[in-house]
Amino acid sequence: MNRVALLLLAVASVAQSVASGIGDFFVSEPDSLFVVIDRATRMDMVDYYNSGKKIDADNRLNGKSRIEELSDSYMKLKLSDSAEIEMRMEVSGSDTLIVVSKNLLSPAPDSDVMVFDRHWNRLETRSVIDLPELDDFITGVSGKEKKELLSLVEFPLIMVNFDADGNIVASVSLSDYMIKENYDKLKPYLKQRIVYRWNGKKYKREA
């Protein structure tokens, strides 16, 4: 069977909901998240990774992309020098969900979290996880004092990653771009991370 036929077979397998892992979804994604990497290249990247090799694959931006981690349910992909994507597959009853965090790494870390079904139809993110706002990272103060601290942050950027246990971890790195004097005022009240654990239906924030 030639390469084109294998590619079509892989895509068809996912479309028919018999995908064995997140790598299949990576190959089948309909060129919105991974528009800079064509499908044949994605298949090569997965094949090489499964054979024990991480390759720097050419992308459509004349740069390089690389699979950093890949398991049945999780993938971390370096999309470019300034962006990465993490994906995790979760099963909710009879449904399969793909939770995606697209992370921009510069000039300061920030994330866009998206949720899809097994056919790559985008779902409402809040139906799966109620992501935090900057307000949630500030503790020990309230009212006017809290508003004053929030006003010090010009760009409320939040990074979202998956930890080794499959939890979602939201964090802030405000020291990377805030004026030091303002950050020093905020730091004593700043929670560095908020963790969400999958409960079989959605991600719930840990107390």
Side-chain angles (χ1 to χ4, degrees):
M1 187 178 293
N2 63 35
R3 192 81 180 159
V4 173
L6 286 171
L7 177 60
L8 292 174
L9 179 61
V11 173
S13 295
V14 174
Q16 295 168 11
S17 307
V18 295
S20 60
I22 198 73
D24 295 328
F25 287 107
F26 172 59
V27 173
S28 73
E29 194 277 328
D31 289 342
S32 56
L33 282 176
F34 304 112
V35 64
V36 302
I37 314 172
D38 65 63
R39 292 188 182 185
T41 300
R42 287 182 235 161
M43 177 174 278
D44 284 339
M45 293 169 73
V46 171
D47 287 346
Y48 275 110
Y49 189 97
N50 288 335
S51 67
K53 299 176 183 178
K54 293 182 183 182
I55 63 167
D56 290 319
D58 293 331
N59 61 42
R60 290 166 172 160
L61 297 177
N62 295 319
K64 300 290 184 180
S65 299
R66 180 174 65 245
I67 296 174
E68 300 285 7
E69 297 180 47
L70 177 61
S71 66
D72 286 345
S73 60
Y74 172 76
M75 170 181 278
K76 181 176 181 180
L77 175 78
K78 176 189 173 186
L79 197 60
S80 67
D81 290 338
S82 60
E84 66 181 23
I85 289 181
E86 291 184 73
M87 299 195 301
R88 185 166 181 85
M89 187 172 65
E90 300 286 5
V91 177
S92 176
S94 60
D95 297 326
T96 297
L97 303 178
I98 310 162
V99 185
V100 177
S101 182
K102 186 174 182 179
N103 306 320
L104 299 180
L105 307 178
S106 65
D110 191 30
S111 298
D112 182 19
V113 177
M114 297 160 278
V115 180
F116 301 87
D117 66 15
R118 67 179 62 142
H119 304 295
W120 284 106
N121 298 309
R122 187 165 180 176
L123 308 177
E124 179 66 38
T125 300
R126 291 177 67 88
S127 67
V128 176
I129 181 170
D130 189 8
L131 290 165
E133 298 181 0
L134 182 60
D135 179 277
D136 298 303
F137 288 90
I138 299 177
T139 62
V141 289
S142 59
K144 182 179 179 181
E145 189 175 1
K146 191 171 190 178
K147 288 182 179 179
E148 289 175 349
L149 290 173
L150 285 168
S151 71
L152 299 175
V153 184
E154 186 175 0
F155 304 106
L157 305 180
I158 298 173
M159 187 74 163
V160 177
N161 302 103
F162 293 91
D163 69 13
D165 296 319
N167 303 318
I168 285 180
V169 180
S171 60
V172 289
S173 301
L174 302 180
S175 60
D176 293 345
Y177 61 90
M178 281 186 68
I179 297 171
K180 185 179 185 303
E181 179 182 352
N182 288 343
Y183 179 74
D184 288 343
K185 293 178 183 178
L186 181 64
K187 185 177 179 181
Y189 309 99
L190 190 63
K191 179 187 294 187
Q192 295 296 328
R193 45 187 264 151
I194 296 174
V195 178
Y196 295 80
R197 187 181 299 275
W198 179 253
N199 69 0
K201 294 183 178 179
K202 64 189 300 183
Y203 285 93
K204 296 290 289 184
R205 185 186 301 190
E206 292 187 344

